[in-house]
Structures are given as C-alpha cells and as structure tokens.
Amino acid sequence: MTTTLIRIEHASKAFGDFRAVRDVSLDIGQGEIFGLIGKSGAGKSTLLRLINLLERPDQGAITVDGRELTSLSKRDLRDARANIGMIFQQFNLLQNATVFDNVAFPLHIHGGQSKQQIAARVRDCLDLVGLTDKTDSYPAQLSGGQKQRVAIARALASKPAVLLCDEPTSALDAETTRALLGTLKDINQRLDVTIVIVSHELDVIGEVCDHVAVIENGAIAEQFALDDVASLAAPRHTTLGRELAAAVANRASAANALAAIAPLTETAHV
C-alpha cells in the first residue's frame, strides 16, 4: 500500500461569486507523479495552490506529510512550506541575481545553514538539473528550458517531500519539454519526491504521470491510473479522460510492438 502524502478533504474555494474549487477530496501517494488536467478555468491551478496554501480554502482541510496545514499558525505554516517546492509557468526567477543566488534564495529565507552548507546544496541541486556550468550566469543569459531547470533546482534546495508544478512546460518548445519531463522523472526516481503537475497538455501528463484527476467546473470528474492496463481500458466519463487513456494505451502498445521486433532485427543482422 502506498502511503498517502497529500490529503485534500472537502476543500472549496471561491473568488467572489465564482466557485473555483468545489468540495474536492483527493489522496496522493508518496513518490507518485500525479497529474491534474482540465480545460482553462476548470480550477486545476487553484486546486494546486491549495496544497501549499498559496490559496487558503474557504472550507476543508489540507494535510501534507502528516501536517494539517490549514490548522497551523503563520509561523508553523512558513516552516511547513519548506517541505513543499513549487515551480511556475513563467519561471519566477530573480532577474538581477545569478543562478547560484536564485537557487540559494530559499535557503537564506529559512536560515540555519552556513555559507559552506548553502554552497554545497546549491551545487548538488544544479548538478541534479545539469546546470553546474551556469552557476554565475543571469536569467537573461539562459534559454527557456534552462530557466525552468534553475526554477526546479531552487524548488529542490530545501529538500522538499513535494514538488508542485503549475504548467511547467507551456512556455517551452516540444524538444525542451521532453528533456524537462525527463528531468522531472529522474528527480522523482532518485529522490522519491512526490510531484503534482497541472497541465492542459495531455502529452505532458501521459508522459510522466502515474495517476491523473480530471477537473471540471472546480470538481474532480474522474481519476484513474495511467500505469495500469485495466484502468486505461475501463470506460471513461469525460472527454479528456477518454483522450488521455487512449493516447497512453496506444503509446504503450507501440512500445511493446517495438520491443517485440527488436530481437528479430538483431537476429537478422547476425
């Protein structure tokens, strides 16, 4: 059984008369890559921001790694957020700071580490995302993909258990997107970081996620596993669910076909 790391219980959030999230309950297991998909305005980004209380729910409870965030004081919540990294669509880097200083920023905020410890942690994080040669560069000198990798390194600096990704690839081209998704999968496998990704791109969700929830009108319309054949074959209740399940199943079938052909090809060349 997978340990539940994130638990959302009957969470709702409104902005004036607009109900962005409607009575959502959701469990996300430790070490999973979990996708939230939906059309524009469906509420998926608001739901993601509830997880670290960037948006506080009007009703309901949010528990991350055993701590109910909605019941914490401001001081305790600040400490708890060190356990939750976040990356954004537009990178949100400090433009006048070097790559090193961008990654070190959260370590200075939370305090408690020496300059030597901070420098070592920054080097480790930049090594994880393949940017050790960009330590002294500024954001303006980086490509879009490199900027997002710096953002990932910064999010990992405080050794979080959870990484929240809000449309992390929508500003990137297809080739850069594939490379970035590979980085996220590698981080998930090497560090056992639980990753939650919001995206409107089915290819992105289908490439990296273990489970997915389809969000419609602020509520979960359905959720299912992407790494289970029986789950993919089950009838889906939403258009996005059907399209995603079919795409993942077709890709798996194609991969299996190539794997079956490969030994025959090798034999033919012997």
Side-chain angles (χ1 to χ4, degrees), residues 177-204:
T177 291
R178 284 193 295 272
L180 188 73
L181 293 179
T183 297
L184 288 175
K185 286 197 290 187
D186 182 58
I187 288 168
N188 169 257
Q189 292 168 1
R190 291 171 62 180
L191 304 182
D192 198 33
V193 174
T194 301
I195 300 177
V196 186
I197 300 179
V198 161
S199 183
H200 64 279
E201 301 173 273
L202 296 185
D203 287 347
V204 168

Side-chain angles (χ1 to χ4, degrees), residues 6 37 50 52 67 79 82 117 126 130 139 147-148 167 170 176 178 182 206 217 220 262 264:
I6 301 169
I37 60 171
L50 291 182
N52 63 355
R67 302 185 76 180
D79 292 339
Q117 289 172 320
L126 289 176
K147 290 177 183 177
Q148 195 60 289
E167 299 279 6
S170 61
T176 306
R178 284 193 295 272
N217 298 318
I220 296 178
L264 298 177

Side-chain angles (χ1 to χ4, degrees), residues 113-221:
Q113 297 190 52
S114 68
K115 288 184 178 180
Q116 291 78 12
Q117 289 172 320
I118 290 173
R121 182 58 186 163
V122 169
R123 285 194 298 270
D124 288 344
C125 291
L126 289 176
D127 183 55
L128 276 171
V129 299
L131 286 180
T132 52
D133 60 332
K134 299 295 183 181
T135 301
D136 298 320
S137 299
Y138 287 85
Q141 300 171 304
L142 305 177
S143 67
Q146 289 171 333
K147 290 177 183 177
Q148 195 60 289
R149 288 175 183 273
V150 174
I152 292 172
R154 179 182 60 187
L156 293 173
S158 57
K159 300 182 179 180
V162 175
L163 182 61
L164 306 179
C165 307
D166 193 0
E167 299 279 6
T169 63
S170 61
L172 307 177
D173 59 43
E175 183 177 352
T176 306
T177 291
R178 284 193 295 272
L180 188 73
L181 293 179
T183 297
L184 288 175
K185 286 197 290 187
D186 182 58
I187 288 168
N188 169 257
Q189 292 168 1
R190 291 171 62 180
L191 304 182
D192 198 33
V193 174
T194 301
I195 300 177
V196 186
I197 300 179
V198 161
S199 183
H200 64 279
E201 301 173 273
L202 296 185
D203 287 347
V204 168
I205 297 297
E207 175 67 27
V208 298
C209 292
D210 306 307
H211 291 79
V212 64
V214 181
I215 313 299
E216 290 186 349
N217 298 318
I220 296 178

Side-chain angles (χ1 to χ4, degrees), residues 4-6 63-69 83:
T4 296
L5 192 72
I6 301 169
T63 301
V64 177
D65 201 12
R67 302 185 76 180
E68 186 183 330
L69 304 188
N83 200 34

Side-chain angles (χ1 to χ4, degrees), residues 81-104:
R81 281 181 173 148
N83 200 34
I84 308 171
M86 188 162 188
I87 62 173
F88 303 87
Q89 178 179 349
Q90 297 300 332
F91 322 129
N92 288 14
L93 299 178
L94 302 171
Q95 296 302 308
N96 295 323
T98 64
V99 165
F100 179 95
D101 289 333
N102 266 280
V103 177

